[in-house]
Every structure is written in C-alpha cells, then in structure tokens.
Amino acid sequence: MDRHQRAEERLGTAGVAYRRVGSAEATAANLAWWDADADDYQATHREFLGAADFVWCPEGLREADARLLGEVRGSSVLEVGCGSAPCTRWLACQGARAVGVDLSAGMLRHALADHRRTGADAPLIQASAERLPLATGGFDTACSAFGAVPFVASLDAVFAEVARVLRPGGRWVFAVTHPMRWIFPDDPGPTGLTATQPYFDRTPYVEVNADGAATYVEYHHTMGDYVRALSGAGFRLTDLIEPEWPEAHTRVWGQWSPLRGKLFPGTAIFSAVAAGG
C-alpha cells in the first residue's frame, strides 16, 4: 500500500488539480491531511528523524553538524511547523528555551508522546503559521525544517508573523523543497529527471475529493519569491544552503533519492536576520 493511501481514503481524495486556493481552504485541507496522515508519517520517517534530533532535510543534514542556528543554549527558539517536534526536543536538550507550533493535532499528539518518552520540556502550540498566538519580540531565533512554509497561502503573512515574534536582529532559518524541483515529476526514479512543469507557474498543487474540495494543498514559490518575501518582511538574507546528496546516503524519501540528489538539489535552506541586526 502506498504510504499516503490511508490518508487519501479517509479524506476521499479523488484526483489532482492545479488551481488557486485561499488561506481558509488551504488551512482546512492541510489540517485534515496531516491529522489523517500523522500515524503513517511517523511510522515511515520516525527512525530517520529521531525522537530528539534536528534533521534539516531528506539529505540528512543535521543541525548538530551544520550549526545554522548558531549557539542556542540559553536562547529562546521557535520552531514553526514542528510536526512531531524532534527538532524542538533537540533544541531543548541543547539548553534552548524551545517552543513548537504546528497546525495538526495529530502530529502534536505524537509530539506529546515523544515528550513523555524523552522527558523533554518544551511547550507545544496548535496554530497556523499565518497567525502565531505569541507575544511580539519574544524569540531570539525561529526555524522550520520543511514545516508550514510550503503549505500556507501567503509567504508574506508567515514571514511578517515570524518577524513580529523575533527580537531585533533575530535569526530566521527555514528549509523547503528546492524551487527547481517543481519542474520535475514527483518521482525518485528516472521519470523524475525530465522537466514537465513550468518553473514560473505558481499555481498550487491541489488534491481534491469528488466534489472538487481540496484535501491537500502545496504552494510553489520561485527563489526570487522567497527573497522578495523575506525582504518585504524586513529580513536580510545572509545565506542560502543547498545541501549536496551524501555519497553513502541511500535512503529514498518521497521524490528524494540518490539518483536525483547526485544531479540537482532537493532542498533550499534560507538563513536571514530580522531588522535591527
């Protein structure tokens, strides 16, 4: 059985469309999707992600090695789109005052279970990244490892919220699917090496039920879109990391594979500093 099949059956997914999707529809669809898929996602990826580890991407880049967030001990760190929160727990273990935010109650249920198993002490909040229920200027750093950013209707809204909750000069580091991957089929094999989609087409990828209502939504943004949205929110881009595929890494994760990873990047990690820094 395909890993996503159970979630698709629960939600009545009947096909794929490319169409505009507003914030309310995307939020409802992705909340339902991640709740429906949470158990299977954990069963598939938990061993790779760990219970209290910070893995930035399918290429296996770890914060323990990359140190993209700098020294976190004693600092306040927000993880946006924390999922089951292994990164939040790792940050807490490093001495950070870590907080995790995620839209999905299903994913946070797994996060709480792993909190209990590991003894982690880090608050978890269910909320949309477009409306963070957090005080202004309360964090030194914000991060996201493939969480929230590709699934919300407005990059501007998310980046503005992150800028609001950061202190002046705070750091915002987030990992997303590399924008160039949009032009290829979502396939880890040879079929995934031939371009079929226009890079400049921002129309969201939408899975729909028999009535045409969205059951899953993912947005495409170009490199320029990310840079402009960061600048518009008052951030200064300081680095852009495109992790290379490690030679001995054989894991296939969705469309990520050794075959594709040797030829072109699968992940883009943006590192930026808020106004005042």
Side-chain angles (χ1 to χ4, degrees):
M1 178 183 287
D2 178 84
R3 185 185 76 74
H4 299 299
Q5 185 174 335
R6 276 187 284 264
E8 291 170 348
E9 289 174 351
R10 289 171 191 148
L11 299 174
T13 300
V16 172
Y18 288 88
R19 63 172 173 81
R20 296 186 182 278
V21 182
S23 178
E25 186 180 11
T27 298
N30 285 331
L31 170 58
W33 168 263
W34 288 107
D35 281 353
D37 195 52
D39 291 348
D40 287 341
Y41 183 92
Q42 286 301 111
T44 303
H45 299 303
R46 188 177 187 278
E47 183 179 355
F48 179 71
L49 294 174
D53 198 359
F54 198 132
V55 183
W56 277 107
C57 52
E59 289 86 353
L61 182 69
R62 282 170 160 74
E63 177 60 15
D65 302 316
R67 295 295 178 183
L68 302 182
L69 303 180
E71 177 56 61
V72 297
R73 184 173 299 278
S75 66
S76 53
V77 185
L78 172 66
E79 185 183 5
V80 180
C82 66
S84 61
C87 302
T88 300
R89 284 187 291 277
W90 182 87
L91 289 163
C93 290
Q94 303 306 303
R97 299 186 300 278
V99 176
V101 173
D102 199 86
L103 180 65
S104 167
M107 295 298 282
L108 291 175
R109 174 170 48 82
H110 284 281
L112 286 169
D114 276 343
H115 267 34
R116 289 191 291 269
R117 278 191 284 267
T118 62
D121 182 19
L124 299 170
I125 300 170
Q126 185 181 8
S128 166
E130 292 178 295
R131 295 180 182 84
L132 297 172
L134 298 161
T136 297
F139 292 90
D140 300 304
T141 302
C143 60
S144 185
F146 279 79
V149 175
F151 307 108
V152 296
S154 174
L155 277 183
D156 293 337
V158 173
F159 291 179
E161 276 293 87
V162 172
R164 180 184 64 79
V165 303
L166 283 174
R167 297 188 178 99
R171 192 178 308 196
W172 169 222
V173 186
F174 64 95
V176 293
T177 303
H178 198 290
M180 75 170 293
R181 285 288 176 108
W182 186 260
I183 71 177
F184 298 101
D186 196 13
D187 188 322
T191 301
L193 302 180
T194 302
T196 57
Q197 282 283 118
Y199 175 79
F200 298 104
D201 183 359
R202 277 85 160 177
T203 308
Y205 168 85
V206 189
E207 294 178 2
V208 297
N209 63 21
D211 296 323
T215 59
Y216 174 91
V217 183
E218 188 168 345
Y219 293 85
H220 167 60
H221 308 286
T222 67
M223 281 290 194
D225 293 340
Y226 284 115
V227 172
R228 283 185 292 274
L230 286 168
S231 178
F235 287 102
R236 174 172 55 86
L237 184 66
T238 58
D239 201 359
L240 172 59
I241 300 96
E242 299 166 294
E244 295 187 36
W245 192 270
E247 202 166 306
H249 188 36
T250 60
R251 179 183 175 87
V252 173
W253 178 328
Q255 52 132 319
W256 283 266
S257 66
L259 174 66
R260 304 181 94 200
K262 289 177 181 177
L263 296 174
F264 48 83
T267 297
I269 306 176
F270 294 81
S271 181
V273 174

